[in-house]
Amino acid sequence: MSAISTPRRQPDLVTVLVATGFVLTLSMGVRHGFGFWLQPISLEHQWTRETFSMAIAIQNLMWGVFGPFAGMAADKLGTAKVIVLGAILFALGLVWMALVNHPLAFIAGSGLLIGAALACTTFGAVSGLIGRTAPEAKRSWAFGMSSAASSFGQFFMMPVDQQLIQHAGWQNALYVLAALMLIVMLPMAWKLREPPREVDTGPQQSTMEAVREAFAHKPFLLLLAGYFVCGFQLVFIGMNMPAYLKDKGIVDPSVAVIALSLIGLFNIFGSYGAGKLGGLFPKRYLLSSIYLSRSIVIALFVLAPLSTYSVYVFSAAMGLLWLSTVPLTNGVIAGIFGLKYLSMLSGFVFFSHQLGSFIGAWLGGYMYTKNGNYDAVWMIVIALGIFATLINLPINEAAIERDTKLPLAA
């Protein structure tokens, strides 16, 4: 019997976690390293930092805009096809960054291509497949493992990015990463192919009904607000850390590399731990604790005398808190609304995250250009963390009650 006619089997949980882990490692690893290109690209083209910051801001916004659609496609067509599209778009976007020297074209092209690519190769696109494959008792843990893989990408790719730029030049480094996108992601997508999904019996819920139900449910809106803060904090810190340290007199580029790598390393443990704890304790309390801890850690970092040692301590502490919100948030969504539209609903929540990322990326560059420092933005980051602490506390994690007597639209 030919391979074409052989019935396709559902990938097992180990295969799903390994394959999506490779995809997330590369996608999130490259994304977290864009801060290393801020100075060389700006110097090469004689741009202000605001230009590159705007490109990253648009990229993060488009990531959010395309997130729900990538999630819908993954729920309907399968995660594998969405990842293939994402790999191609990512490669094209990296090549665009290397070749284009007009600021508006650079902002629009790299923002659109890489933003769409990230939507197709990160959490929203893979969360539905992970949720479907993992048994309920292991679902929070599986989301934690997925988040840990993206954290490993940050840990692993930071020195890779820096060494590529140093030894091959910033343009050639982008070409190498573009090739890696295709070499790594396409075989992983092949491993994630699923059989045609069986038609559900009983009452059916349409896509638009699922969207209306979610946006009419208060806990979902609170998750949206909390994730906005998460996006603002992470992108501002991740993108501006190398430049911030240099401005403060820590000019050795290896310090920033180690700092960002430490964030990725410690977030492996933070994400895994959050996933495990999410199966034992109310996720809303864990989310509030993470946001409060972030505000405390950031405040201590900004107020204490800056040194190489303080940078490393801050990075390790932030790493434990970095993406630990992801498995908990996805776990809350799955628990409230079920699995059928998990990728799509995760995409909507992540859109809010990326609105925060857009503002955090743009505001960092804008405030630096205006004031010559990042002081005001650090204060905003701390205040937003306290806000997110408070709004996660009242989230009701109970499964939503639906009227099963009347059939929903197919």
Side-chain angles (χ1 to χ4, degrees), residues 133-319:
T133 308
E136 184 175 359
K138 291 186 175 181
R139 191 170 297 142
S140 182
W141 169 83
F143 286 139
M145 290 293 291
S146 175
S147 183
S150 69
S151 305
F152 176 76
Q154 181 175 356
F155 167 70
F156 178 74
M157 291 302 296
M158 292 299 99
V160 171
D161 291 343
Q162 196 268 345
Q163 289 296 314
L164 281 174
I165 293 172
Q166 181 177 342
H167 294 291
W170 67 268
Q171 284 180 307
N172 289 331
L174 291 170
Y175 295 142
V176 172
L177 293 177
L180 277 176
M181 288 294 167
L182 301 176
I183 293 170
V184 173
M185 289 193 183
L186 296 183
M188 293 302 104
W190 180 266
K191 293 286 188 180
L192 296 174
R193 295 175 304 151
E194 298 178 84
R197 208 164 302 160
E198 295 181 3
V199 178
D200 294 336
T201 59
Q204 298 294 300
Q205 186 181 42
S206 71
T207 300
M208 289 309 301
E209 285 170 335
V211 172
R212 287 194 295 268
E213 176 186 73
F215 278 90
H217 199 52
K218 183 178 178 180
F220 188 76
L221 301 180
L222 295 176
L223 286 174
L224 289 172
Y227 236 29
F228 173 91
V229 173
C230 185
F232 187 104
Q233 292 176 323
L234 300 196
V235 168
F236 169 71
I237 294 171
M239 198 185 83
N240 293 288
M241 176 69 80
Y244 175 75
L245 296 181
K246 189 173 182 180
D247 293 341
K248 292 293 184 178
I250 301 179
V251 296
D252 183 356
S254 66
V255 175
V257 174
I258 294 172
L260 294 175
S261 296
L262 282 172
I263 290 176
L265 175 62
F266 278 84
N267 193 40
I268 296 172
F269 305 106
S271 296
Y272 178 81
K276 288 287 287 185
L277 291 173
L280 301 173
F281 302 101
K283 298 176 182 64
R284 62 186 182 277
Y285 296 150
L286 296 173
L287 284 168
S288 291
S289 299
I290 289 168
Y291 287 115
L292 178 60
S293 299
R294 282 185 187 176
S295 288
I296 293 172
V297 169
I298 293 168
L300 291 174
F301 175 65
V302 173
L303 295 175
L306 189 67
S307 66
T308 301
Y309 176 75
S310 72
V311 171
Y312 293 159
V313 171
F314 167 75
S315 299
M318 280 301 298

Side-chain angles (χ1 to χ4, degrees), residues 326-337:
V326 174
L328 299 173
T329 302
N330 284 336
V332 172
I333 297 171
I336 294 175
F337 301 104

Side-chain angles (χ1 to χ4, degrees), residues 305-388:
L306 189 67
S307 66
T308 301
Y309 176 75
S310 72
V311 171
Y312 293 159
V313 171
F314 167 75
S315 299
M318 280 301 298
L320 292 173
L321 308 167
W322 196 253
L323 291 177
S324 51
T325 58
V326 174
L328 299 173
T329 302
N330 284 336
V332 172
I333 297 171
I336 294 175
F337 301 104
L339 301 176
K340 183 174 182 180
Y341 293 109
L342 176 57
S343 287
M344 179 191 70
L345 295 180
S346 295
F348 276 112
V349 174
F350 199 69
F351 174 62
S352 178
H353 184 284
Q354 294 313 102
L355 282 177
S357 298
F358 169 79
I359 296 174
W362 166 77
L363 192 61
Y366 172 77
M367 294 300 287
Y368 182 88
T369 301
K370 182 179 179 180
N371 300 328
N373 60 63
Y374 295 107
D375 294 348
V377 191
W378 282 118
M379 296 301 104
I380 294 172
V381 167
I382 294 169
L384 286 175
I386 296 172
F387 167 74

